[in-house]
Amino acid sequence: EVRFFRGALESLVYSCEEDSLKRLDRLHLFFDWAYRLVTHDALLNAVEDILGDDILIYGTLVFYKTPHGSSYASWHQDSFYSGLHLSPSTSAWIALTASNQANGCMRVIPGSHKLGAVNHDNVYDPNLLNRRGERVSMTVDESEAIDVVLQPGEMSLHQSTIVHGSNPNQSDEPRIGFIVRFVTSEFTNRDWPLLRVRGDADCSRLKLVEP
């Protein structure tokens, strides 16, 4: 399964003219293989253990780190611009390649989600994967960081307020992570396009879309 999903993604990446391509957003709305991944029973069963059977997809994101590339993610919270912390949510980080310290795996500060939403600065760095250049304003003690090491096909689930980031890929192979952000019908933004993947809760006040 990982070979299939990785192959489909890399076919897309190789077809792009932009050599410095680092991230791809909302693939699940446009590509059948990505839709198959985000509706995989193993994935949704794990999310259901956390959110219940009322599950919608807020968005997807792929970080494609090239071998010996310079792209990285600064310390940040997913909740800063998204508002994901205002209603039940969780994010799945699915490894389509091995993800380890050498190739720039995700790193988290344990317990930092308990701080709630914290202030961020916006910085400009062409190597930064964060779309708006967001970076937490507080000082992060990197000695507390834990590497989220995953094998292909494994995933982690994390809360939107946990402080996390990643270093550049120093290995000879790409590092590919497919991120899926899940919410419930309690989500507060009525204008954001959501894809229902489980449940039949009343979503009449929300903007539901089809792939």
Side-chain angles (χ1 to χ4, degrees), residues 1 13 19 21 24-25 29 32 37 39-40 49 66 69 85 88 96 102 107 115 122 162 170 174 186 192-193 202:
E1 286 180 311
V13 170
D19 292 335
L21 183 68
L24 302 103
D25 292 86
L29 296 180
D32 178 69
L37 178 55
T39 56
H40 196 295
D49 286 343
T66 56
H85 62 299
L96 296 186
R107 309 178 73 210
L115 298 172
N122 287 342
I162 198 164
Q170 299 178 349
E186 296 179 43
W192 191 265
D202 181 10

Side-chain angles (χ1 to χ4, degrees), residues 70-151:
S70 52
S71 61
Y72 72 101
S74 59
W75 294 111
H76 69 285
Q77 295 175 313
D78 293 338
S79 60
F80 183 59
Y81 284 108
S82 65
L84 289 171
H85 62 299
L86 300 177
S87 57
S89 66
T90 192
S91 293
W93 203 106
I94 304 168
L96 296 186
T97 63
S99 186
N100 50 49
Q101 190 176 48
N103 66 15
C105 65
M106 183 170 71
R107 309 178 73 210
V108 302
I109 304 299
S112 56
H113 63 290
K114 298 177 183 178
L115 298 172
V118 302
N119 291 328
H120 287 61
D121 299 316
N122 287 342
V123 298
Y124 173 74
D125 184 341
N127 296 316
L128 192 57
L129 291 169
N130 310 46
R131 178 185 292 171
R132 299 175 180 85
E134 63 268 25
R135 181 182 63 191
V136 292
S137 302
M138 68 182 201
T139 300
V140 174
D141 183 353
E142 297 205 13
S143 67
E144 298 179 351
I146 290 180
D147 296 320
V148 183
V149 175
L150 300 170
Q151 296 302 314

Side-chain angles (χ1 to χ4, degrees), residues 164-184:
H164 63 291
S166 67
N167 293 323
N169 180 1
Q170 299 178 349
S171 75
D172 297 330
E173 299 292 332
R175 193 223 67 175
I176 309 172
F178 194 108
I179 302 164
V180 193
R181 308 201 194 285
F182 295 97
V183 296
T184 72

Side-chain angles (χ1 to χ4, degrees), residues 7-22:
L9 174 63
E10 290 193 316
S11 293
L12 174 62
V13 170
Y14 296 155
S15 72
C16 295
E17 296 180 2
E18 178 56 66
D19 292 335
S20 62
L21 183 68
K22 300 182 181 72

